[in-house]
Amino acid sequence: MHRCRVIAILLVTGLMLAGCGNRIEMNELGITTATGFDGHQGDWTITYQVIIPPAMSSGAGGSSGGAGSQAAVHTFSAHGKTIREALASSSRENPRKLYFAHTNILIIGKEAAETGIEEILDTYYRNPDARETVKVLIANGVARDYLNKLIPPEKLPGRALSKILEKNKQLSSYYPSVSVHELALGISSDSAAAGVPQISIKGTDSSSLESASVFQKTSTSSNLEISGLSVFHKAKMVGTLDQNESLGISWLTNHIHLTTISYNSKDATDVSAFLVRNAKVKVTPVKGALHYTLKVKAKVVVGEFLETTTHEDLLKTQSIGKLEQRAEEIIRSQILEGWKAVQHLKIDLVGIGNKIHRKSPKDWKRLKKDWPGEIANMDIDIDVKVNLKRPGLFQSSFSRLLQSDED
């Protein structure tokens, strides 16, 4: 009998303890979709882009329009000597507990990037709510200004920026899509370098993007765009690469997914566009008598023509060979442009130091003290092979057909 009473008491106690005593209702949470960091150590301004659920559910953030429409996000900033102090001070004006698990994008202001991002990364790794997989952008200015902007037709600007990064990576390969964790791994590796896409405001009237009325327009006078690649050496931003230089880095790091190569013929009479569907690039540092040489082998395994005005007969092997050769020259020049940018900045964006350390630890011990300055003394040997498998369903260019009709 006593045993039964003990079991009954344990069961009742267990049922009482099984409740969600520490639960937080959804309407008490402020779900962030983007976060911005401005300032430097000892003086931080943190900006939060918080989702407004009623605007999302009613479609007011751009799908329904009307006088009563509102943006699907609310943006506010908080200040503090440390990042966590700024977060704590946000409770003075924000009625909800901030929740970071659904953050899509992290924007770091230019001043913060140039001063050093150690504190930002440290905060992300210590905060159990934050995800290291969140994507990173560097603002060409103040991060707060960018989080105030809407991006039609998407309701959530943070999610829209994340999608822009992914689409650019998948369809053009101009810039990488970098997460907080990838950034931390890059600057803490032997190469001590990383490239992060930079975002800029394009246009004359950016204030128009701060009102939900922008969803009622067919076009805007301003927009946000990826404008460059911010280069980090350790924790500080030290320079910026343009689109062509960044594409060269994508080749050298084997991050080409899809990209389009457009070029004119040598006599500037014809133009063609060549689609790279997949490419394999192998980069190997080879030790020489005085310095290392970087050997690059690029093999475009699948390619096709998107358009051409050439008068060449695309059914002839000789004509295909000429087009392949021209494509190889273009790719070689793109790789070389990225390499020259690396040598100019003396920053190891290609990860050469990591490769040398794995292959020749003794050599790396000798080179480490002068790295990455040693990059300026390195030569590069580029070998590109393009294999055009499909000239397209249209075997001859339209220009050639018109010429044959005239003849």
Side-chain angles (χ1 to χ4, degrees):
M1 188 69 177
H2 177 71
R3 184 179 180 183
C4 291
R5 289 179 179 178
V6 172
I7 294 174
I9 291 173
L10 290 174
L11 289 173
V12 172
T13 304
L15 290 173
M16 293 175 64
L17 295 175
C20 301
N22 63 341
R23 72 183 185 274
I24 299 178
E25 298 293 341
M26 286 296 295
N27 58 9
E28 297 177 5
L29 291 176
I31 301 175
T32 64
T33 183
T35 305
F37 292 86
D38 289 304
H40 49 79
Q41 187 176 13
D43 183 18
W44 287 101
T45 298
I46 316 301
T47 305
Y48 304 100
Q49 196 177 85
V50 182
I51 298 174
I52 303 175
M56 291 292 295
S57 60
S58 65
S63 60
S64 66
S69 64
Q70 67 177 111
V73 294
H74 170 68
T75 303
F76 71 96
S77 299
H79 305 272
K81 295 179 180 178
T82 65
I83 294 173
R84 297 303 293 182
E85 181 181 299
L87 173 60
S89 67
S90 67
S91 61
R92 296 201 300 261
E93 59 179 291
N94 179 48
R96 298 188 177 190
K97 174 180 171 58
L98 294 179
Y99 185 65
F100 302 100
H102 294 286
T103 300
N104 298 111
I105 204 78
L106 167 65
I107 301 181
I108 302 175
K110 187 175 182 179
E111 180 188 3
E114 292 175 340
T115 305
I117 60 172
E118 305 99 318
E119 194 172 344
I120 298 174
L121 296 177
D122 188 83
T123 301
Y124 253 78
Y125 277 103
R126 293 182 186 275
N127 185 1
D129 289 337
R131 295 179 298 124
E132 295 84 16
T133 56
V134 64
K135 302 302 180 183
V136 187
L137 282 170
I138 305 301
N140 186 17
V142 179
R144 181 179 64 249
D145 294 340
Y146 289 80
L147 291 183
N148 288 333
K149 305 296 186 289
L150 299 172
I151 306 178
E154 298 292 330
K155 295 182 180 180
L156 302 179
R159 185 181 299 173
L161 288 173
S162 181
K163 287 183 177 180
I164 288 173
L165 284 174
E166 284 300 319
K167 292 300 181 184
N168 166 78
K169 176 184 175 181
Q170 295 171 4
L171 301 179
S172 67
S173 303
Y174 292 140
Y175 300 101
S177 178
V178 181
S179 68
V180 168
H181 186 59
E182 289 168 335
L183 172 58
L185 287 178
I187 64 176
S188 61
S189 67
D190 293 315
S191 296
V196 181
Q198 181 185 85
I199 187 171
S200 298
I201 298 175
K202 179 182 178 182
T204 56
D205 185 19
S206 63
S207 61
S208 62
L209 298 177
E210 298 179 10
S211 171
S213 61
V214 71
F215 290 105
Q216 302 172 15
K217 301 177 180 180
T218 56
S219 64
T220 60
S221 57
S222 294
N223 61 283
L224 305 186
E225 67 171 8
I226 303 176
S227 58
L229 186 71
S230 298
V231 179
F232 280 81
H233 177 56
K234 296 185 177 180
K236 295 182 179 181
M237 189 183 86
V238 296
T240 305
L241 304 185
D242 61 27
Q243 178 175 293
N244 293 332
E245 293 168 336
S246 179
L247 180 60
I249 300 300
S250 293
W251 282 107
L252 287 168
T253 53
N254 196 28
H255 285 159
I256 295 293
H257 300 279
L258 283 180
T259 193
T260 301
I261 301 172
S262 299
Y263 58 85
N264 295 324
S265 61
K266 292 184 177 180
D267 58 2
T269 58
D270 298 328
V271 64
S272 298
F274 184 87
L275 177 66
V276 176
R277 286 196 174 274
N278 192 9
K280 294 181 180 179
V281 183
K282 185 177 181 180
V283 176
T284 308
V286 179
K287 186 178 180 180
L290 298 176
H291 304 286
Y292 269 83
T293 296
L294 198 67
K295 289 192 175 293
V296 180
K297 288 190 175 183
K299 183 178 181 182
V300 179
V301 295
V302 178
E304 63 187 50
F305 273 99
L306 298 177
E307 62 177 284
T308 184
T309 60
T310 181
H311 291 176
E312 297 281 350
D313 185 356
L314 297 181
L315 294 178
K316 293 182 178 180
T317 304
Q318 184 179 4
S319 299
I320 295 295
K322 290 181 181 179
L323 296 172
E324 288 176 339
Q325 183 179 3
R326 183 59 180 148
E328 290 168 357
E329 292 173 357
I330 296 295
I331 294 172
R332 190 178 294 108
S333 66
Q334 290 176 343
I335 294 174
L336 189 59
E337 189 166 359
W339 174 245
K340 287 181 178 179
V342 167
Q343 285 191 306
H344 175 71
L345 290 175
K346 296 182 182 179
I347 302 298
D348 188 8
L349 279 176
V350 186
I352 305 169
N354 301 332
K355 295 176 184 292
I356 295 177
H357 191 182
R358 287 194 298 267
K359 186 178 180 180
S360 306
K362 290 183 179 180
D363 281 352
W364 175 247
K365 188 176 181 180
R366 174 178 57 85
L367 294 170
K368 185 177 181 180
K369 60 181 180 179
D370 296 324
W371 201 262
E374 182 66 19
I375 289 178
N377 299 320
M378 295 179 64
D379 294 323
I380 188 169
D381 180 14
I382 304 173
D383 179 28
V384 181
K385 179 62 178 177
V386 171
N387 185 7
L388 175 60
K389 290 189 174 181
R390 295 190 299 273
L393 297 178
F394 200 43
Q395 299 297 334
S396 297
S397 70
F398 205 79
S399 297
R400 187 171 186 271
L401 289 177
L402 292 177
Q403 184 184 43
S404 63
D405 287 343
E406 293 176 357
D407 295 340

